Amino acid sequence: MDLGDVERLREELAAFVGEMFGSLSRTDQRRQGDCYARGLMVDGRRKSIVPMAERLPDGNAQALQQFVADSPWDHQQVLRRVAERMCAAIDPRVWVVDDTSFPKCGRASVGVARQYCGALGKRANCQVGVSVHAATDAMSCPLQWRLFLPEEWAQDPERRSRAGVPDDVGHVEKWRLALDAIDTLIGWGLVPPVIVADAGYGQIGEFRHELAARGLDFVVAVRGDEIAHTGDALPSTLAYSGLGPRPLPRYRDRARSLVEHAVAAGREAFVEVGWRQGSRGAMRSRFATTAVRPAGKAPRRLARAAAGDADIAWDGVLPVLTMLTEWPADAHAPTDHWLTNLPPDTPVAKLVRLAKMRWRVEHDYRELKHGLGLDHYEGRTWRGWHHHVTLVTAAHAFLTLHRTDPKALTPA
Protein backbone atom coordinates (compact mmCIF):
# COMPACT_ATOMS: atom_id res chain seq x y z
CA MET A 1 0.00 0.00 0.00
CA ASP A 2 1.18 3.55 -0.64
CA LEU A 3 0.79 6.30 1.96
CA GLY A 4 -2.49 7.48 0.45
CA ASP A 5 -4.03 4.00 0.71
CA VAL A 6 -3.00 3.73 4.36
CA GLU A 7 -4.26 7.22 5.17
CA ARG A 8 -7.66 6.35 3.72
CA LEU A 9 -7.81 3.40 6.14
CA ARG A 10 -6.55 5.44 9.05
CA GLU A 11 -9.86 5.76 10.88
CA GLU A 12 -10.61 2.04 10.47
CA LEU A 13 -7.09 1.13 11.55
CA ALA A 14 -7.26 3.42 14.58
CA ALA A 15 -10.41 1.64 15.76
CA PHE A 16 -8.75 -1.76 15.27
CA VAL A 17 -5.58 -0.70 17.09
CA GLY A 18 -7.68 0.75 19.88
CA GLU A 19 -9.34 -2.63 20.32
CA MET A 20 -6.18 -4.74 20.01
CA PHE A 21 -4.06 -2.45 22.19
CA GLY A 22 -6.77 -1.76 24.75
CA SER A 23 -4.61 -3.42 27.41
CA LEU A 24 -2.08 -0.58 27.09
CA SER A 25 -3.00 1.91 29.79
CA ARG A 26 -1.30 4.96 28.27
CA THR A 27 -2.70 6.87 25.30
CA ASP A 28 0.78 7.65 23.97
CA GLN A 29 1.52 3.89 23.77
CA ARG A 30 -1.66 3.28 21.80
CA ARG A 31 -0.79 6.21 19.55
CA GLN A 32 2.66 4.78 18.84
CA GLY A 33 1.11 1.36 18.20
CA ASP A 34 -1.13 2.95 15.56
CA CYS A 35 1.84 4.79 14.03
CA TYR A 36 4.02 1.66 13.94
CA ALA A 37 1.25 -0.39 12.31
CA ARG A 38 0.83 2.22 9.58
CA GLY A 39 4.58 2.27 9.05
CA LEU A 40 4.58 -1.49 8.55
CA MET A 41 1.81 -1.27 5.93
CA VAL A 42 3.22 1.61 3.86
CA ASP A 43 5.28 0.43 0.87
CA GLY A 44 9.02 0.63 1.35
CA ARG A 45 12.13 -1.43 0.92
CA ARG A 46 12.93 -1.51 4.64
CA LYS A 47 10.48 -1.67 7.53
CA SER A 48 12.96 -0.84 10.26
CA ILE A 49 12.14 2.08 12.55
CA VAL A 50 13.99 5.00 10.93
CA PRO A 51 12.76 4.40 7.34
CA MET A 52 9.20 3.86 8.60
CA ALA A 53 9.27 7.09 10.62
CA GLU A 54 10.51 9.03 7.59
CA ARG A 55 7.58 7.81 5.47
CA LEU A 56 4.89 8.91 7.92
CA PRO A 57 3.77 12.51 8.47
CA ASP A 58 3.61 11.89 12.23
CA GLY A 59 6.57 9.51 12.39
CA ASN A 60 9.05 10.00 15.24
CA ALA A 61 11.91 7.51 15.18
CA GLN A 62 12.92 8.13 18.79
CA ALA A 63 9.38 7.65 20.10
CA LEU A 64 8.87 4.47 18.02
CA GLN A 65 12.22 3.09 19.19
CA GLN A 66 11.29 3.66 22.81
CA PHE A 67 7.85 2.11 22.31
CA VAL A 68 9.17 -1.07 20.71
CA ALA A 69 12.49 -1.64 22.46
CA ASP A 70 12.01 -0.20 25.95
CA SER A 71 8.35 0.31 26.86
CA PRO A 72 7.25 -2.51 29.23
CA TRP A 73 3.86 -3.30 27.68
CA ASP A 74 2.72 -6.92 27.70
CA HIS A 75 2.81 -8.31 24.17
CA GLN A 76 0.84 -11.40 25.20
CA GLN A 77 -2.19 -9.30 26.10
CA VAL A 78 -2.15 -7.83 22.59
CA LEU A 79 -1.74 -11.25 21.00
CA ARG A 80 -4.66 -12.52 23.08
CA ARG A 81 -6.98 -9.89 21.61
CA VAL A 82 -5.70 -10.61 18.11
CA ALA A 83 -6.18 -14.36 18.59
CA GLU A 84 -9.70 -13.99 19.97
CA ARG A 85 -10.73 -11.63 17.17
CA MET A 86 -9.18 -13.69 14.38
CA CYS A 87 -10.43 -17.09 15.56
CA ALA A 88 -13.95 -15.66 15.72
CA ALA A 89 -13.59 -14.18 12.21
CA ILE A 90 -11.77 -17.07 10.54
CA ASP A 91 -13.43 -20.05 12.31
CA PRO A 92 -10.26 -22.04 11.62
CA ARG A 93 -10.27 -25.61 10.39
CA VAL A 94 -6.70 -26.15 11.64
CA TRP A 95 -4.00 -24.61 13.78
CA VAL A 96 -0.71 -24.84 11.92
CA VAL A 97 2.56 -25.20 13.84
CA ASP A 98 5.73 -24.09 12.08
CA ASP A 99 8.85 -21.96 12.45
CA THR A 100 10.62 -19.34 10.39
CA SER A 101 14.15 -17.93 10.42
CA PHE A 102 15.56 -14.40 10.55
CA PRO A 103 19.08 -14.14 9.03
CA LYS A 104 21.34 -11.95 11.16
CA CYS A 105 24.91 -10.70 11.33
CA GLY A 106 27.00 -10.76 14.48
CA ARG A 107 26.35 -12.35 17.88
CA ALA A 108 24.38 -9.68 19.76
CA SER A 109 20.80 -10.15 18.48
CA VAL A 110 18.79 -12.18 20.97
CA GLY A 111 18.72 -15.90 20.15
CA VAL A 112 21.05 -15.62 17.17
CA ALA A 113 23.27 -18.63 16.47
CA ARG A 114 24.64 -20.65 13.62
CA GLN A 115 21.80 -23.08 12.91
CA TYR A 116 19.64 -24.26 10.02
CA CYS A 117 18.13 -21.21 8.34
CA GLY A 118 15.06 -22.02 6.25
CA ALA A 119 15.14 -18.58 4.62
CA LEU A 120 18.56 -19.40 3.14
CA GLY A 121 18.18 -23.18 2.87
CA LYS A 122 21.39 -23.89 4.79
CA ARG A 123 23.10 -23.47 8.15
CA ALA A 124 23.69 -19.79 8.78
CA ASN A 125 23.66 -17.13 11.47
CA CYS A 126 20.00 -16.52 12.29
CA GLN A 127 17.18 -16.33 14.80
CA VAL A 128 14.28 -18.80 14.69
CA GLY A 129 10.70 -18.04 15.71
CA VAL A 130 8.10 -20.76 16.36
CA SER A 131 4.53 -19.79 15.51
CA VAL A 132 0.98 -21.15 15.64
CA HIS A 133 -1.47 -20.02 12.93
CA ALA A 134 -5.24 -20.26 12.57
CA ALA A 135 -6.12 -21.32 9.03
CA THR A 136 -8.83 -22.26 6.57
CA ASP A 137 -8.47 -22.81 2.83
CA ALA A 138 -8.95 -19.08 2.24
CA MET A 139 -7.74 -17.24 5.37
CA SER A 140 -5.00 -17.52 7.96
CA CYS A 141 -3.23 -15.48 10.62
CA PRO A 142 -0.54 -16.12 13.25
CA LEU A 143 -1.85 -16.34 16.81
CA GLN A 144 1.26 -17.02 18.91
CA TRP A 145 5.05 -16.64 18.70
CA ARG A 146 7.96 -18.11 20.62
CA LEU A 147 11.60 -17.16 20.08
CA PHE A 148 13.84 -20.23 20.03
CA LEU A 149 16.82 -19.79 22.35
CA PRO A 150 19.74 -22.02 21.27
CA GLU A 151 21.60 -23.95 23.95
CA GLU A 152 24.65 -21.73 23.73
CA TRP A 153 22.53 -18.82 24.98
CA ALA A 154 21.45 -20.71 28.06
CA GLN A 155 25.10 -20.93 29.15
CA ASP A 156 26.14 -17.33 28.44
CA PRO A 157 24.99 -14.94 31.22
CA GLU A 158 26.70 -11.93 29.65
CA ARG A 159 24.92 -12.26 26.29
CA ARG A 160 21.61 -12.95 28.04
CA SER A 161 21.98 -9.84 30.18
CA ARG A 162 22.80 -7.58 27.24
CA ALA A 163 19.82 -8.91 25.27
CA GLY A 164 17.45 -8.68 28.24
CA VAL A 165 16.55 -12.39 28.26
CA PRO A 166 14.37 -13.12 31.33
CA ASP A 167 16.02 -15.23 34.02
CA ASP A 168 13.39 -17.96 33.75
CA VAL A 169 13.88 -18.44 30.00
CA GLY A 170 16.29 -21.15 28.89
CA HIS A 171 16.91 -23.49 25.99
CA VAL A 172 13.70 -25.32 25.07
CA GLU A 173 13.20 -27.55 22.03
CA LYS A 174 11.03 -26.06 19.28
CA TRP A 175 8.33 -28.71 19.65
CA ARG A 176 8.03 -27.86 23.33
CA LEU A 177 7.75 -24.16 22.45
CA ALA A 178 4.93 -25.07 20.06
CA LEU A 179 3.12 -26.99 22.81
CA ASP A 180 3.56 -24.05 25.18
CA ALA A 181 2.05 -21.71 22.57
CA ILE A 182 -0.91 -24.07 22.09
CA ASP A 183 -1.37 -24.30 25.88
CA THR A 184 -1.43 -20.50 26.07
CA LEU A 185 -4.16 -20.31 23.44
CA ILE A 186 -6.18 -22.99 25.23
CA GLY A 187 -5.73 -21.08 28.49
CA TRP A 188 -7.36 -18.08 26.82
CA GLY A 189 -10.46 -20.16 26.20
CA LEU A 190 -9.83 -20.81 22.51
CA VAL A 191 -10.84 -24.26 21.28
CA PRO A 192 -8.18 -25.94 19.13
CA PRO A 193 -9.29 -27.47 15.86
CA VAL A 194 -7.02 -30.08 14.24
CA ILE A 195 -3.29 -29.44 14.78
CA VAL A 196 -1.23 -29.57 11.58
CA ALA A 197 2.57 -29.54 11.37
CA ASP A 198 5.41 -30.48 9.05
CA ALA A 199 7.82 -33.35 9.67
CA GLY A 200 10.10 -31.17 11.79
CA TYR A 201 7.44 -31.52 14.49
CA GLY A 202 5.37 -34.51 13.38
CA GLN A 203 8.43 -36.78 13.33
CA ILE A 204 8.87 -36.28 17.08
CA GLY A 205 6.96 -38.99 18.93
CA GLU A 206 6.86 -36.91 22.12
CA PHE A 207 5.12 -34.08 20.25
CA ARG A 208 2.41 -36.41 18.94
CA HIS A 209 2.09 -38.03 22.38
CA GLU A 210 1.65 -34.68 24.14
CA LEU A 211 -0.98 -33.54 21.65
CA ALA A 212 -2.94 -36.75 22.20
CA ALA A 213 -2.54 -36.43 25.98
CA ARG A 214 -4.21 -33.02 25.73
CA GLY A 215 -7.10 -34.58 23.83
CA LEU A 216 -6.12 -32.76 20.62
CA ASP A 217 -6.60 -34.12 17.09
CA PHE A 218 -3.63 -33.88 14.74
CA VAL A 219 -2.54 -34.52 11.17
CA VAL A 220 1.25 -34.21 11.08
CA ALA A 221 3.80 -34.95 8.39
CA VAL A 222 6.47 -37.60 9.04
CA ARG A 223 9.43 -38.99 7.13
CA GLY A 224 8.99 -42.16 5.14
CA ASP A 225 11.77 -43.91 7.06
CA GLU A 226 9.86 -43.90 10.35
CA ILE A 227 9.15 -47.51 11.33
CA ALA A 228 5.84 -49.04 12.36
CA HIS A 229 3.97 -52.31 12.73
CA THR A 230 0.73 -52.96 10.91
CA GLY A 231 -2.41 -51.78 12.63
CA ASP A 232 -3.64 -55.32 13.36
CA ALA A 233 -0.31 -56.55 14.77
CA LEU A 234 -0.27 -57.48 18.46
CA PRO A 235 2.58 -58.45 20.76
CA SER A 236 2.95 -61.93 22.15
CA THR A 237 4.70 -63.28 25.22
CA LEU A 238 6.90 -66.36 25.16
CA ALA A 239 6.17 -69.12 27.63
CA TYR A 240 8.02 -68.78 30.93
CA SER A 241 10.77 -71.36 31.27
CA GLY A 242 10.94 -71.01 35.04
CA LEU A 243 14.41 -69.48 34.97
CA GLY A 244 15.29 -65.78 35.16
CA PRO A 245 12.88 -62.88 34.68
CA ARG A 246 9.56 -63.53 33.00
CA PRO A 247 9.45 -62.75 29.26
CA LEU A 248 7.88 -59.43 28.31
CA PRO A 249 5.33 -58.96 25.51
CA ARG A 250 7.04 -58.19 22.21
CA TYR A 251 6.10 -57.77 18.57
CA ARG A 252 7.68 -60.74 16.86
CA ASP A 253 7.58 -59.36 13.31
CA ARG A 254 10.03 -56.71 12.14
CA ALA A 255 8.76 -53.12 12.13
CA ARG A 256 8.85 -51.74 8.58
CA SER A 257 9.27 -48.21 7.24
CA LEU A 258 6.18 -46.22 6.34
CA VAL A 259 7.26 -46.36 2.70
CA GLU A 260 7.27 -50.17 2.86
CA HIS A 261 3.78 -50.17 4.38
CA ALA A 262 2.49 -47.92 1.61
CA VAL A 263 4.09 -49.99 -1.15
CA ALA A 264 2.69 -53.18 0.39
CA ALA A 265 -0.80 -51.72 0.11
CA GLY A 266 -0.33 -51.52 -3.67
CA ARG A 267 -1.05 -48.74 -6.15
CA GLU A 268 -4.63 -49.93 -6.51
CA ALA A 269 -5.31 -48.80 -2.93
CA PHE A 270 -4.64 -45.18 -3.86
CA VAL A 271 -7.48 -42.94 -5.00
CA GLU A 272 -7.37 -39.54 -6.69
CA VAL A 273 -8.28 -36.63 -4.43
CA GLY A 274 -8.42 -32.89 -5.06
CA TRP A 275 -7.92 -30.46 -2.21
CA ARG A 276 -7.96 -26.88 -3.56
CA GLN A 277 -7.66 -24.65 -6.59
CA GLY A 278 -4.10 -23.57 -7.31
CA SER A 279 -2.79 -20.92 -9.69
CA ARG A 280 -2.65 -23.58 -12.41
CA GLY A 281 -5.99 -25.19 -11.72
CA ALA A 282 -7.24 -27.89 -9.39
CA MET A 283 -4.58 -29.53 -7.24
CA ARG A 284 -4.98 -33.30 -7.30
CA SER A 285 -2.97 -36.38 -6.48
CA ARG A 286 -3.41 -39.99 -5.31
CA PHE A 287 -3.74 -40.95 -1.64
CA ALA A 288 -4.38 -43.94 0.60
CA THR A 289 -4.74 -44.59 4.32
CA THR A 290 -3.29 -47.45 6.35
CA ALA A 291 -3.54 -48.30 10.05
CA VAL A 292 -0.09 -48.49 11.65
CA ARG A 293 1.50 -48.71 15.08
CA PRO A 294 4.59 -46.43 15.18
CA ALA A 295 7.49 -48.38 16.66
CA GLY A 296 11.01 -47.77 17.90
CA LYS A 297 12.49 -46.69 21.21
CA ALA A 298 10.49 -43.48 21.67
CA PRO A 299 7.01 -44.97 21.02
CA ARG A 300 7.77 -47.92 23.32
CA ARG A 301 9.06 -45.65 26.08
CA LEU A 302 6.03 -43.34 25.83
CA ALA A 303 3.54 -46.23 25.79
CA ARG A 304 5.21 -47.85 28.79
CA ALA A 305 5.23 -44.52 30.68
CA ALA A 306 1.53 -44.04 29.95
CA ALA A 307 0.90 -47.41 31.64
CA GLY A 308 2.70 -46.29 34.78
CA ASP A 309 6.27 -46.97 33.66
CA ALA A 310 6.09 -50.49 35.04
CA ASP A 311 6.63 -53.43 32.71
CA ILE A 312 4.15 -55.49 34.66
CA ALA A 313 1.43 -52.85 34.01
CA TRP A 314 2.10 -52.56 30.28
CA ASP A 315 0.71 -55.13 27.88
CA GLY A 316 3.21 -54.17 25.18
CA VAL A 317 0.56 -52.83 22.80
CA LEU A 318 1.60 -49.74 20.82
CA PRO A 319 -1.12 -47.16 19.95
CA VAL A 320 -2.69 -47.26 16.49
CA LEU A 321 -2.56 -44.22 14.22
CA THR A 322 -3.75 -43.74 10.66
CA MET A 323 -1.08 -43.14 8.04
CA LEU A 324 -2.03 -40.97 5.08
CA THR A 325 0.27 -41.44 2.09
CA GLU A 326 0.57 -39.54 -1.17
CA TRP A 327 1.76 -41.45 -4.24
CA PRO A 328 1.43 -39.33 -7.40
CA ALA A 329 0.60 -41.21 -10.57
CA ASP A 330 3.90 -40.19 -12.19
CA ALA A 331 6.08 -41.09 -9.17
CA HIS A 332 7.97 -44.37 -8.79
CA ALA A 333 7.39 -44.46 -5.01
CA PRO A 334 5.28 -42.74 -2.36
CA THR A 335 6.38 -39.15 -1.80
CA ASP A 336 4.73 -37.89 1.41
CA HIS A 337 3.37 -39.34 4.64
CA TRP A 338 1.26 -38.06 7.53
CA LEU A 339 0.12 -39.59 10.81
CA THR A 340 -3.22 -38.73 12.40
CA ASN A 341 -5.22 -39.74 15.44
CA LEU A 342 -8.53 -38.79 13.85
CA PRO A 343 -11.09 -41.63 13.73
CA PRO A 344 -10.07 -44.39 11.29
CA ASP A 345 -13.25 -43.91 9.28
CA THR A 346 -12.42 -40.27 8.51
CA PRO A 347 -12.79 -39.82 4.73
CA VAL A 348 -9.51 -39.66 2.82
CA ALA A 349 -10.60 -36.42 1.15
CA LYS A 350 -11.00 -34.74 4.55
CA LEU A 351 -7.59 -35.92 5.75
CA VAL A 352 -5.98 -34.65 2.56
CA ARG A 353 -7.58 -31.22 2.89
CA LEU A 354 -6.44 -30.93 6.49
CA ALA A 355 -2.89 -32.10 5.76
CA LYS A 356 -2.51 -29.82 2.76
CA MET A 357 -3.82 -26.77 4.63
CA ARG A 358 -0.32 -26.33 6.04
CA TRP A 359 0.53 -24.34 2.89
CA ARG A 360 -1.28 -21.36 4.44
CA VAL A 361 1.59 -20.80 6.88
CA GLU A 362 3.96 -20.26 3.94
CA HIS A 363 1.48 -17.72 2.59
CA ASP A 364 1.51 -15.98 5.99
CA TYR A 365 5.31 -15.93 6.25
CA ARG A 366 5.57 -14.47 2.75
CA GLU A 367 3.14 -11.65 3.59
CA LEU A 368 4.64 -11.06 7.04
CA LYS A 369 8.18 -10.78 5.70
CA HIS A 370 7.83 -9.31 2.21
CA GLY A 371 4.88 -7.06 2.92
CA LEU A 372 5.14 -6.15 6.59
CA GLY A 373 8.84 -6.40 7.46
CA LEU A 374 8.68 -9.26 9.96
CA ASP A 375 12.42 -9.88 9.48
CA HIS A 376 13.45 -6.22 9.19
CA TYR A 377 13.69 -5.41 12.89
CA GLU A 378 17.19 -4.20 13.76
CA GLY A 379 16.89 -4.25 17.55
CA ARG A 380 18.73 -6.85 19.58
CA THR A 381 16.66 -7.39 22.71
CA TRP A 382 14.18 -10.01 23.85
CA ARG A 383 11.53 -7.37 24.52
CA GLY A 384 12.08 -5.61 21.21
CA TRP A 385 11.81 -8.82 19.17
CA HIS A 386 8.54 -9.85 20.82
CA HIS A 387 7.06 -6.36 20.53
CA HIS A 388 7.96 -6.16 16.84
CA VAL A 389 6.51 -9.56 15.87
CA THR A 390 3.35 -8.72 17.85
CA LEU A 391 2.91 -5.42 15.99
CA VAL A 392 3.50 -7.16 12.66
CA THR A 393 0.93 -9.80 13.63
CA ALA A 394 -1.63 -7.12 14.49
CA ALA A 395 -1.02 -5.34 11.16
CA HIS A 396 -1.39 -8.65 9.31
CA ALA A 397 -4.64 -9.38 11.16
CA PHE A 398 -6.05 -5.96 10.21
CA LEU A 399 -5.21 -6.43 6.53
CA THR A 400 -6.63 -9.97 6.55
CA LEU A 401 -9.93 -8.73 7.98
CA HIS A 402 -10.01 -5.74 5.64
CA ARG A 403 -9.53 -7.64 2.40
CA THR A 404 -12.12 -10.26 3.35
CA ASP A 405 -14.70 -7.63 4.30
CA PRO A 406 -17.20 -7.41 1.42
CA LYS A 407 -17.81 -3.76 2.31
CA ALA A 408 -14.13 -2.83 2.16
CA LEU A 409 -12.84 -0.87 -0.79
CA THR A 410 -9.79 -2.42 -2.41
CA PRO A 411 -6.96 0.14 -2.84
CA ALA A 412 -6.01 0.83 -6.44
Side-chain angles (χ1 to χ4, degrees):
M1 292 182 170
D2 61 28
L3 182 59
D5 294 330
V6 174
E7 286 297 312
R8 283 190 287 274
L9 294 172
R10 188 162 180 174
E11 184 176 345
E12 183 182 347
L13 176 60
F16 178 81
V17 169
E19 178 186 350
M20 297 300 104
F21 288 78
S23 60
L24 277 62
S25 58
R26 291 164 42 187
T27 56
D28 63 310
Q29 290 177 325
R30 294 194 293 273
R31 184 169 60 251
Q32 293 307 324
D34 175 82
C35 184
Y36 200 94
R38 282 184 283 118
L40 293 170
M41 290 188 287
V42 173
D43 292 336
R45 183 175 180 181
R46 289 293 298 174
K47 300 295 178 74
S48 51
I49 289 175
V50 172
M52 287 197 302
E54 291 174 346
R55 296 184 194 112
L56 298 172
D58 57 340
N60 182 314
Q62 184 175 356
L64 290 176
Q65 175 67 27
Q66 195 280 333
F67 171 68
V68 175
D70 302 318
S71 184
W73 51 275
D74 186 353
H75 69 278
Q76 284 291 3
Q77 290 303 313
V78 178
L79 286 176
R80 177 172 185 168
R81 297 196 177 200
V82 171
E84 291 171 342
R85 175 74 179 273
M86 295 309 293
C87 283
I90 291 177
D91 189 19
R93 296 283 305 280
V94 299
W95 282 358
V96 184
V97 171
D98 210 334
D99 54 70
T100 188
S101 55
F102 305 75
K104 291 289 181 179
C105 297
R107 301 178 68 253
S109 295
V110 61
V112 72
R114 186 166 181 80
Q115 54 194 318
Y116 180 76
C117 179
L120 302 177
K122 61 180 181 181
R123 284 182 62 83
N125 209 51
C126 67
Q127 299 166 312
V128 175
V130 176
S131 56
V132 178
H133 302 239
T136 68
D137 288 317
M139 296 177 65
S140 56
C141 180
L143 306 176
Q144 269 288 298
W145 290 91
R146 294 290 186 275
L147 178 63
F148 173 66
L149 202 65
E151 197 165 1
E152 65 187 66
W153 276 79
Q155 310 301 326
D156 195 332
E158 185 178 346
R159 289 176 83 189
R160 291 171 59 90
S161 177
R162 287 199 302 265
V165 179
D167 293 339
D168 59 348
V169 174
H171 168 69
V172 177
E173 299 97 323
K174 295 172 189 173
W175 66 270
R176 293 188 190 275
L177 293 177
L179 287 172
D180 182 60
I182 291 170
D183 288 341
T184 296
L185 294 168
I186 294 173
W188 292 343
L190 299 175
V191 180
V194 178
I195 306 298
V196 174
D198 67 10
Y201 295 86
Q203 189 69 26
I204 300 170
E206 289 90 344
F207 180 67
R208 302 194 304 263
H209 175 79
E210 289 296 331
L211 290 177
R214 288 162 169 77
L216 303 180
D217 296 329
F218 61 80
V219 180
V220 294
V222 291
R223 297 195 309 264
D225 60 358
E226 178 161 345
I227 59 172
H229 298 286
T230 59
D232 58 0
L234 292 173
S236 61
T237 305
L238 297 178
Y240 182 47
S241 65
L243 298 175
R246 290 185 174 276
L248 299 177
R250 292 284 188 271
Y251 287 87
R252 303 304 165 182
D253 294 331
R254 176 182 67 89
R256 297 181 295 170
S257 71
L258 298 184
V259 170
E260 290 178 273
H261 283 287
V263 171
R267 277 187 176 269
E268 61 277 6
F270 287 74
V271 296
E272 187 171 292
V273 176
W275 60 93
R276 67 179 176 89
Q277 287 292 123
S279 59
R280 299 181 181 179
M283 304 189 73
R284 307 186 67 84
S285 187
R286 295 177 61 79
F287 298 86
T289 57
T290 309
V292 296
R293 297 180 185 271
K297 292 182 179 179
R300 286 184 59 84
R301 172 173 51 79
L302 292 168
R304 185 166 56 246
D309 203 21
D311 289 332
I312 193 172
W314 184 45
D315 59 7
V317 176
L318 295 168
V320 177
L321 295 176
T322 298
M323 175 181 68
L324 173 68
T325 301
E326 180 178 0
W327 192 344
D330 58 353
H332 296 296
T335 57
D336 295 284
H337 308 267
W338 297 263
L339 290 176
T340 179
N341 63 343
L342 286 168
D345 59 351
T346 303
V348 175
K350 179 179 179 179
L351 293 177
V352 171
R353 283 193 66 195
L354 293 171
K356 292 292 187 177
M357 216 172 288
R358 201 196 70 80
W359 78 277
R360 287 295 317 186
V361 76
E362 303 301 337
H363 178 274
D364 283 350
Y365 287 153
R366 185 168 58 251
E367 287 193 335
L368 292 163
K369 290 185 175 183
H370 298 173
L372 296 170
L374 177 67
D375 55 351
H376 291 187
Y377 182 62
E378 295 176 351
R380 296 175 174 177
T381 66
W382 176 271
R383 175 179 290 168
W385 187 91
H386 285 86
H387 282 177
H388 173 72
V389 299
T390 297
L391 287 155
V392 172
T393 299
H396 181 272
F398 171 78
L399 293 175
T400 299
L401 293 172
H402 177 73
R403 66 170 170 258
T404 56
D405 183 353
K407 297 181 292 185
L409 296 176
T410 303

